[in-house]
Amino acid sequence: MNDVDEVADVADAEELAGFQTGFAQRPDVVFAASSADDVVAAVRHAADRNLPLGVHATGHGLPGPVEGGVVVSTRRMAGVVVDPDARTVRLQAGVRWGQVVAAAAPHGLAPLNGSAPSVGAVSYTLGGGLCILAREFGYAADHVRSLDVVTADGRLRHVTPESELYWALLGAGHAFGVVTGLEMGLVPVRTLYGGALAFDGRDVGPAVALRAYEEWTRTVPEGLTSSFAAVPYPDIPALPPHLRGRYVLSVRVAWTGADGDRVVAPLRRIGPVLSDSLREMPYAESHTIHSDPDFPHAYYGDSAVLGEWDLDAVAGVLARTGPEAAGAMCVVQVNHLGGALARPAPNSVPYREGRFLVRLLTMADRARAREILDPAFALLAPVTLGRAVNFAFGAGDRGEGLYDAQTSKRLAGIKSRYDPASLLRTGYGVSG
């Protein structure tokens, strides 16, 4: 390798660096796009040479490694424009949610963002987008007005709800083109009641806490969004004293209604509380509800959308992944679905009838991760409708279960019309 090659390799590595460090990105060519015209050039370059094409923004994505071909990096495309009168925002492909929250907040508006400010807004939305206030407002994809996308023929298209491409893009990610930007609706939310209650999993049994949480979800208002998490924290000085070395079970809550303390009162009876951050807060502080890690790291994981609740199965997942069981750090999250998430919308986001979403992440190496993930999700199989595309971390090399049969068939037909050569390889299970 000569000096020029070494410089190019370093530059490419820096360009492709992101939150997920578990996968190597080794494309033949990297296009650092600053505009839609740059994306058009990248797509035409790949199409002319019949090279596979992938997209890299800046967020938490990367379903798996990339070897060869062309990767378009959109991190420089970071424009955000809020129209407070129309309650909309236009955002470019490299924007992260923290930017959108900050731009909307002065107008008393909020986007349908996820729990971490560093997540890429466009890719998140293309995968559906399970937002902080999901049960009140639905998926982020449900609020998209239009998209700008470069399809495999190198054509920049403005896509609206009348197009079958609109339906496909909102749910099937980048399998149908490179989205350069989109316009979506904002919601009139200035403040919310939210935060987390945390318990010591060695004092309160996981099955006991899970049972109490599920029973509580049957009583809450339709618009209240919540999740249950199980996290084994290492015993290190960087952590707050109340978390060090503990197996923490927590319930996270987000609610724009009244009487929040009354609504969550049953949760406080689960057991002794390690910490309680529930409070009225500005929407701009909503990321503190989950307090997701903000440093890049390697992780692998998968998900299961449950059609019905099975306490024994979900408790079994926690038993297999607890601090003494898995031999590696594992994080389990159970999201309460339903509410506005169950309403039909003109997009390909599947499994709207799901009652809960179980997500399992592990920091084990990739081989060990599969040994942890597969048996855990096998426990859930009898009540599983399918998997969630936004939560297939390192399991993206297999597409089964990400869409129901009818949705898969329709996606495959659209794929064959817009990308017959399967130039775009980043979609899941929808190749023509």
Side-chain angles (χ1 to χ4, degrees):
M1 179 181 291
N2 60 40
D3 291 343
V4 174
D5 291 332
E6 290 176 0
V7 171
D9 287 347
V10 171
D12 288 350
E14 292 176 350
E15 184 67 35
L16 297 174
F19 190 83
Q20 165 63 277
T21 64
F23 303 118
Q25 301 263 58
R26 299 189 183 93
D28 296 324
V29 181
V30 178
F31 277 79
S34 298
S35 67
D37 288 342
D38 292 341
V39 175
V40 168
V43 173
R44 290 178 178 173
H45 178 93
D48 290 346
R49 294 159 179 79
N50 195 30
L51 295 172
L53 177 68
V55 185
H56 180 72
T58 51
H60 289 202
L62 301 185
V66 171
E67 294 286 345
V70 176
V71 165
V72 184
S73 169
T74 62
R75 66 169 66 231
R76 290 169 179 77
M77 300 173 66
V80 177
V81 179
V82 171
D83 183 336
D85 295 327
R87 291 182 180 174
T88 60
V89 61
R90 286 200 56 81
L91 50 94
Q92 291 184 303
V95 169
R96 305 189 195 198
W97 275 126
Q99 298 169 253
V100 189
V101 172
H107 307 288
L109 300 171
L112 281 302
N113 57 289
S115 59
S118 56
V119 167
V122 167
S123 292
Y124 161 98
T125 302
L126 298 183
L130 188 64
C131 60
I132 288 174
L133 296 170
R135 279 174 48 86
E136 182 173 1
F137 295 109
Y139 289 99
D142 301 344
H143 296 259
V144 173
R145 308 288 181 86
S146 65
L147 307 98
D148 296 312
V149 58
V150 181
T151 45
D153 57 3
R155 177 181 168 188
L156 177 61
R157 304 171 188 258
H158 183 68
V159 179
T160 58
E162 295 75 27
S163 168
E164 65 177 3
L165 192 54
Y166 172 98
W167 178 88
L169 283 166
L170 294 171
H174 293 288
F176 297 89
V178 182
V179 173
T180 61
L182 57 80
E183 180 180 6
M184 68 189 311
L186 301 170
V187 295
V189 175
R190 287 183 180 274
T191 62
L192 77 162
Y193 177 86
L197 285 174
F199 310 90
D200 191 324
R202 293 184 175 90
D203 293 337
V204 179
V208 172
L210 277 171
R211 182 190 298 277
Y213 172 67
E214 190 273 334
E215 290 177 349
W216 173 75
T217 63
R218 300 181 206 170
T219 70
V220 301
E222 181 178 84
L224 188 145
T225 304
S226 69
S227 63
F228 175 97
V231 183
Y233 286 96
D235 188 1
I236 57 175
L239 290 172
H242 71 278
L243 296 180
R244 293 177 192 168
R246 293 184 186 271
Y247 183 41
V248 177
L249 309 177
S250 60
V251 179
R252 295 86 164 261
V253 174
W255 165 237
T256 62
D259 299 326
D261 282 336
R262 178 187 59 80
V263 173
V264 303
L267 296 175
R268 292 195 169 96
R269 296 195 289 269
I270 289 175
V273 174
L274 278 178
S275 64
D276 179 351
S277 63
L278 288 165
R279 67 194 189 282
E280 292 284 339
M281 66 176 73
Y283 190 83
E285 296 178 8
S286 59
H287 64 279
T288 64
I289 295 172
H290 294 77
S291 296
D292 291 337
D294 60 0
F295 53 88
H297 58 284
Y299 51 95
Y300 306 87
D302 212 337
S303 58
V305 181
L306 306 187
E308 59 185 88
W309 180 253
D310 185 332
L311 174 63
D312 291 339
V314 181
V317 171
L318 266 63
R320 283 180 169 270
T321 57
E324 284 83 30
M329 185 176 180
C330 297
V331 176
V332 179
Q333 179 165 310
V334 180
N335 290 79
H336 183 207
L337 304 179
L341 295 167
R343 298 171 191 161
N347 55 54
S348 54
V349 179
Y351 309 125
R352 289 178 177 267
E353 69 274 30
R355 288 191 59 208
F356 291 91
L357 170 68
V358 177
R359 299 154 57 181
L360 169 57
L361 293 179
T362 179
M363 285 53 172
D365 62 52
R366 199 174 188 193
R368 176 61 184 142
R370 278 266 67 95
E371 295 174 353
I372 294 170
L373 295 169
D374 290 346
F377 284 104
L379 294 174
L380 302 172
V383 292
T384 295
L385 299 174
R387 302 159 63 213
V389 65
N390 271 355
F391 304 110
F393 301 116
D397 52 351
R398 57 189 188 93
E400 65 269 19
L402 290 168
Y403 304 95
D404 58 88
Q406 183 177 356
T407 300
S408 291
K409 183 177 179 180
R410 184 178 176 188
L411 286 170
I414 298 171
K415 178 74 169 177
S416 68
R417 289 189 285 279
Y418 285 93
D419 186 14
S422 289
L423 183 75
L424 291 137
R425 306 289 174 85
T426 53
Y428 298 94
V430 294
S431 58

